[in-house]
């Protein structure tokens, strides 16, 4: 993977949502990791929020970002496990126009190499909604690192060739960025 920053015209607008009942913004290591990685890759952080595990608050925030021309990618960390209060997949999946089925499958395969059969307990998923890529990740920093490094970053990099998500994202925003 190319680690040099992107040119400004290839940068994407990315929002981060952390779902947690216990973390504060200062304790949000996974969200900070994602912010640091996307900015070091040359992308722009448009917004970053932390919400409790409440499917309606999550859905409302993600819906607002999906409807906005300012956000092309949404990274959500937390709320993807099997705890009774974990609801990120239920909150977000109903908003998808298309689920990126392979995302969860590949994430669990990669996680298996690190955490073994516990990878089965991840409900990581991704989808496209209104030409916005939405990725739902576990709340651990290690899980976010795995997803960013092996799945997300390469798919958001135009230098990776034609087979990436750039052609599926909100083109109006891409063009506005170049003005």
């Amino acid at each position: 993977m190319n680690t040099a920053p992107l040119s400004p015209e290839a940068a994407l607008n990315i929002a981060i949502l952390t779902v947690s009942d216990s973390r504060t913004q200062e304790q949000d290591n996974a969200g900070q990791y994602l912010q640091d990685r996307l900015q070091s890759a040359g992308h722009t952080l448009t917004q970053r929020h932390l919400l409790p595990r409440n499917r309606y608050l999550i859905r409302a925030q993600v819906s607002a970002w999906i409807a906005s021309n300012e956000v092309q990618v949404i990274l959500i960390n937390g709320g993807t496990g099997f705890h009774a209060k974990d609801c990120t997949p239920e909150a977000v999946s109903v908003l998808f126009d298309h689920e990126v089925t392979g995302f969860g499958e590949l994430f669990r395969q990669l996680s298996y190499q690190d955490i073994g059969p516990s990878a089965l307990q991840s409900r990581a998923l991704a989808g496209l909604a209104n030409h916005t890529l939405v990725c739902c990740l576990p709340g651990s920093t290690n899980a976010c690192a795995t997803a960013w490094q092996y799945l997300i970053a390469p798919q958001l990099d135009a230098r990776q060739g034609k087979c990436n998500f750039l052609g599926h994202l909100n083109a109006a925003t891409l063009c506005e960025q170049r003005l």
Side-chain angles (χ1 to χ4, degrees):
M1 185 174 89
N2 196 333
T3 58
L6 298 166
S7 62
E9 61 272 2
L12 298 171
N13 293 328
I14 302 177
I16 297 173
L17 175 62
T18 296
V19 176
S20 176
D21 292 337
S22 59
R23 282 185 259 167
T24 64
Q25 193 82 18
E26 294 76 31
Q27 300 166 327
D28 182 17
N29 295 331
Q32 188 61 50
Y33 171 87
L34 291 169
Q35 179 177 334
D36 293 344
R37 292 292 100 43
L38 75 88
Q39 288 176 326
S40 68
H43 299 297
T44 302
L45 177 70
T46 56
Q47 294 184 45
R48 181 176 165 194
H49 294 292
L50 190 144
L51 290 175
R53 292 184 292 184
N54 176 307
R55 79 176 63 209
Y56 303 104
L57 292 175
I58 297 165
R59 190 175 296 156
Q61 181 60 70
V62 173
S63 293
W65 283 337
I66 289 169
S68 168
N69 282 336
E70 295 179 16
V71 177
Q72 295 161 293
V73 179
I74 302 168
L75 304 177
I76 305 170
N77 70 88
T80 61
F82 283 106
H83 185 278
K85 293 181 79 177
D86 285 335
C87 62
T88 299
E90 292 78 14
V92 176
S93 63
V94 297
L95 302 173
F96 292 164
D97 298 322
H98 304 283
E99 183 174 351
V100 181
T101 309
F103 183 90
E105 295 168 357
L106 284 174
F107 177 81
R108 284 180 285 280
Q109 181 182 16
L110 291 165
S111 294
Y112 182 82
Q113 297 170 20
D114 289 332
I115 62 173
S118 295
L120 291 173
Q121 295 185 40
S122 169
R123 297 188 302 144
L125 74 155
L128 289 164
N130 193 32
H131 303 285
T132 303
L133 177 64
V134 181
C135 299
C136 302
L137 315 170
S140 83
T141 304
N142 287 342
C144 289
T146 296
W148 177 263
Q149 182 178 357
Y150 297 108
L151 301 175
I152 300 168
Q155 285 293 295
L156 301 183
D157 190 336
R159 298 169 296 187
Q160 297 298 314
K162 293 181 181 180
C163 195
N164 57 51
F165 277 105
L166 299 182
H168 305 290
L169 301 179
N170 188 338
T173 305
L174 284 168
C175 293
E176 290 171 10
Q177 277 186 285
R178 294 180 182 154
L179 296 176

